[in-house]
Amino acid sequence: MRSPTDETRAFIYARTATVSQLKPDIRVEQQLNTLRAYAQRRSYQIVCEVCDPGINGNTLSRPGLAIVMDGATAVPRAFDVLLVDDFSRLARDPVLLQTLMSRLRAAGVEIEFTSTGLSSYPEETSVVHLLAALRRHLGAQDD
């Protein structure tokens, strides 16, 4: 158990579904820079960064996501909070998003979606799921 004086350990995760041929890492690097700045503003200690460039958000078969889940379920747990730019970066499918959020919360990990200001805290979870379903219904494209 963490004491109130312990730093919050943050794990950064970025993903894009496409890799631009002209600048293959620019979208991922933009996400990483935004997430690093967010962590710094909150005095979080960044313990790891992973990304899944060019991988669709409708699958669990992502190398970076596997590293996130391994760290979340390690004993002792490797981090306290997962930082993701937007919930669509974690999962495009609302059911998959709910599954991942539930697994991470069960492991004691909170998720903060930095671009929306939402998190996996119970009072915000339903809003995240509603927005994910709405985006899916409106046909938002994965990028």
Side-chain angles (χ1 to χ4, degrees):
M1 178 153 227
R2 296 175 50 238
S3 74
T5 59
D6 288 344
E7 277 189 296
T8 299
R9 299 165 301 156
F11 195 117
I12 289 177
Y13 177 74
R15 182 194 66 78
T16 60
T18 59
V19 178
S20 167
Q21 291 182 7
L22 299 175
K23 296 181 181 180
D25 298 322
I26 196 158
R27 286 184 177 159
V28 168
E29 197 57 42
Q30 288 171 339
Q31 287 179 49
L32 292 173
N33 287 336
T34 299
L35 295 166
R36 289 176 191 130
Y38 180 93
Q40 184 177 14
R41 285 191 305 274
R42 282 160 180 71
S43 299
Y44 290 169
Q45 175 192 8
I46 298 171
V47 295
C48 192
E49 296 180 3
V50 296
C51 56
D52 283 320
I55 300 178
N56 189 286
N58 287 326
T59 179
L60 287 173
S61 298
R62 295 180 254 160
L65 182 60
I67 294 169
V68 169
M69 299 309 289
D70 287 347
T73 56
V75 178
R77 190 177 64 242
F79 59 99
D80 307 303
V81 63
L82 176 64
L83 301 181
V84 184
D85 179 58
D86 184 80
F87 55 85
S88 66
R89 302 301 87 207
L90 188 57
R92 276 291 182 181
D93 179 73
V95 174
L96 184 58
L97 178 63
Q98 182 176 1
T99 299
L100 289 170
M101 289 176 66
S102 295
R103 288 182 186 173
L104 289 164
R105 285 209 30 105
V109 172
E110 296 298 337
I111 309 163
E112 294 182 14
F113 303 105
T114 63
S115 67
T116 61
L118 295 171
S119 70
S120 63
Y121 296 106
E123 60 274 7
E124 297 178 359
T125 299
S126 59
V127 175
V128 171
H129 295 307
L130 177 64
L131 288 173
L134 183 59
R135 281 189 187 171
R136 177 94 173 187
H137 176 73
L138 295 174
Q141 297 296 311
D142 202 3
D143 57 357

